[in-house]
């Protein structure tokens, strides 16, 4: 489900509450289509909040009913869809906040990890359950989790498949903020609003540049940052930001 509750903000809700928003092939295809389109044209979207329908789950991971007795071939082709989805999330030029309500298990946890950062309801629970199911994380979990909480904690989480609380997730650096359950969306939207008020090209370029920080050495990353920076120099928004400061008013950014 896609909503635009206010200008520049998109709320994407995983919407299969009776299946705890488990990820089936169709949901994967929908996500590929949505985030693929946003890669090409962000329109006026400046921040995305990704959440789950209902209070029980953000996403219960891969749909284990659909996967029951799947042939190797079907499993592989479904996984290819999930790989595309993961890439589309990670490549999304617009910041994504995952607002985790309830369980984020398996592929659901990985989906949240593919966002830029996570806000969690106090009652949220996390687990990388795959090894208990005879599989392993395949939607970026072995890559994004160690980057979030360090290699040793990630190993413990993935090898044991044990669930953990939102408070532990906060302590381990996986989650940026804990919110009272009923305040989760308000808090995620408040942050989305702050992001959306900033210069969109600047935010997008910063996101790209931060993406390089974990992928390359410092000097190569810094060279990339300078290139990303130079993209903003000829923008109207650069002029507007400094002008607004001098005129003691809020800037009005246009994304050009
Ligand atoms: N795939 C398909 N259906 C799922 C599902 C999944 N991953 N997770 C939950 N469901 C279904 C249940 O089978 C149940 O359906 P039913 O009413 O037909 O039996 C319904 O959703 C509600 O699930 P239930 O377990 O009763 O809800 P809960 O709120 O008590 O617990 C979870 C929610 C997510 C903690 C629990 O369902 C769970 O552990 N699911 C498996 C998660 C997992 O390991 N995912 C990794 C997949 S790679």
């Amino acid at each position: 489900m896609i909503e635009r509750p206010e200008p520049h903000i998109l709320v994407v809700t995983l919407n299969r509450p009776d299946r705890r928003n488990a990820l089936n092939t169709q949901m994967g295809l929908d996500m590929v289509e949505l985030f693929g389109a946003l890669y090409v044209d962000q329109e006026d979207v400046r921040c995305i909040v990704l959440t789950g329908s209902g209070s029980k789950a953000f996403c219960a991971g891969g749909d284990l009913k659909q996967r029951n007795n799947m042939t190797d071939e079907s499993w592989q082709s479904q996984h290819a869809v999930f790989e595309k989805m993961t890439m589309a999330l990670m490549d999304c030029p617009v910041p994504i906040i995952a607002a985790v309500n309830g369980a984020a298990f398996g592929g659901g946890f990985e989906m949240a990890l593919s966002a830029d950062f996570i806000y969690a309801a106090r009652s949220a629970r996390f687990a990388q359950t795959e090894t208990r199911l005879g599989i392993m994380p395949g939607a970026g979990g072995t890559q994004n989790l160690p980057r979030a909480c360090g290699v040793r904690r990630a190993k413990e989480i993935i090898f044991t498949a044990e669930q953990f609380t939102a408070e532990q997730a906060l302590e381990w650096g996986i989650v940026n903020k804990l919110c009272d359950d009923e305040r989760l969306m308000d808090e995620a939207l408040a942050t989305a609003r702050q992001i959306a008020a900033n210069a969109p090209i600047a935010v997008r370029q910063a996101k790209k540049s931060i993406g390089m920080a974990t992928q390359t050495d410092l000097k190569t990353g810094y060279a990339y940052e300078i290139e990303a920076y130079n993209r903003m120099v000829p923008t109207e928004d650069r002029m507007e930001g400094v002008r607004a400061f001098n005129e003691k008013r809020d800037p009005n950014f246009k994304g050009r």
Side-chain angles (χ1 to χ4, degrees):
M1 184 167 61
I2 301 164
E3 293 163 296
R4 284 177 182 250
E6 46 194 284
H8 308 305
I9 297 175
L10 200 69
V11 174
V12 178
T13 306
L14 306 167
N15 195 20
R16 303 181 69 220
D18 56 331
R19 290 279 172 270
R20 300 299 182 260
N21 306 317
L23 178 63
N24 62 5
T25 309
Q26 188 56 51
M27 190 189 280
L29 289 168
D30 291 345
M31 295 284 278
V32 169
E33 189 184 335
L34 172 66
F35 286 92
L38 281 166
Y39 183 82
V40 176
D41 184 359
Q42 298 82 54
E43 298 182 13
D44 62 347
V45 178
R46 297 183 185 179
C47 193
I48 299 165
V49 178
L50 176 64
T51 192
S53 173
S55 59
K56 296 275 176 55
F58 170 77
C59 173
D63 187 323
L64 299 173
K65 290 181 196 274
Q66 189 180 47
R67 281 177 155 184
N68 199 21
N69 292 320
M70 241 187 198
T71 62
D72 293 359
E73 290 73 20
S74 306
W75 187 291
Q76 208 77 65
S77 58
Q78 181 190 57
H79 203 265
V81 173
F82 297 164
E83 290 159 24
K84 280 268 191 206
M85 179 193 78
T86 303
M87 293 302 288
L89 280 167
M90 294 197 302
D91 287 343
C92 180
V94 177
I96 306 172
I97 305 171
V100 173
N101 52 315
F105 283 11
F109 184 23
E110 292 176 285
M111 214 192 283
L113 287 166
S114 296
D116 292 288
F117 54 87
I118 303 174
Y119 281 10
R122 286 185 192 279
S123 67
R125 292 174 290 157
F126 298 83
Q128 213 65 79
T129 53
E130 289 87 347
T131 55
R132 203 170 281 177
L133 295 161
I135 47 177
M136 63 169 275
T142 66
Q143 304 305 302
N144 283 322
L145 188 57
R147 283 167 165 82
C149 64
V151 167
R152 287 161 190 276
R153 182 71 66 188
K155 285 179 173 171
E156 190 180 0
I157 291 169
I158 292 170
F159 297 169
T160 64
E162 202 56 63
Q163 62 171 281
F164 54 95
T165 64
E167 235 162 75
Q168 287 171 303
L170 180 73
E171 186 190 327
W172 298 340
I174 294 168
V175 156
N176 281 22
K177 191 173 190 179
L178 289 195
C179 309
D180 290 338
D181 290 10
E182 65 285 358
R183 296 268 316 139
L184 174 66
M185 277 311 281
D186 287 344
E187 302 230 18
L189 283 170
T191 300
R193 208 171 291 128
Q194 278 184 304
I195 293 170
N198 290 336
I201 296 172
V203 171
R204 291 203 300 265
Q205 292 297 96
K207 173 169 168 163
K208 265 200 232 173
S209 191
I210 295 167
M212 287 296 278
T214 50
Q215 290 172 40
T216 188
D217 65 283
L218 180 62
K219 286 287 179 67
T220 308
Y222 184 45
Y224 186 87
E225 179 180 299
I226 293 166
E227 287 307 311
Y229 184 95
N230 287 338
R231 163 74 180 88
M232 284 162 322
V233 178
T235 62
E236 284 176 34
D237 284 350
R238 192 257 308 165
M239 297 290 270
E240 166 63 8
V242 178
R243 195 184 305 121
F245 175 83
N246 282 286
E247 293 172 4
K248 300 187 190 302
R249 61 174 174 81
D250 289 335
N252 179 16
F253 292 121
K254 300 271 173 39
R256 25 177 217 259

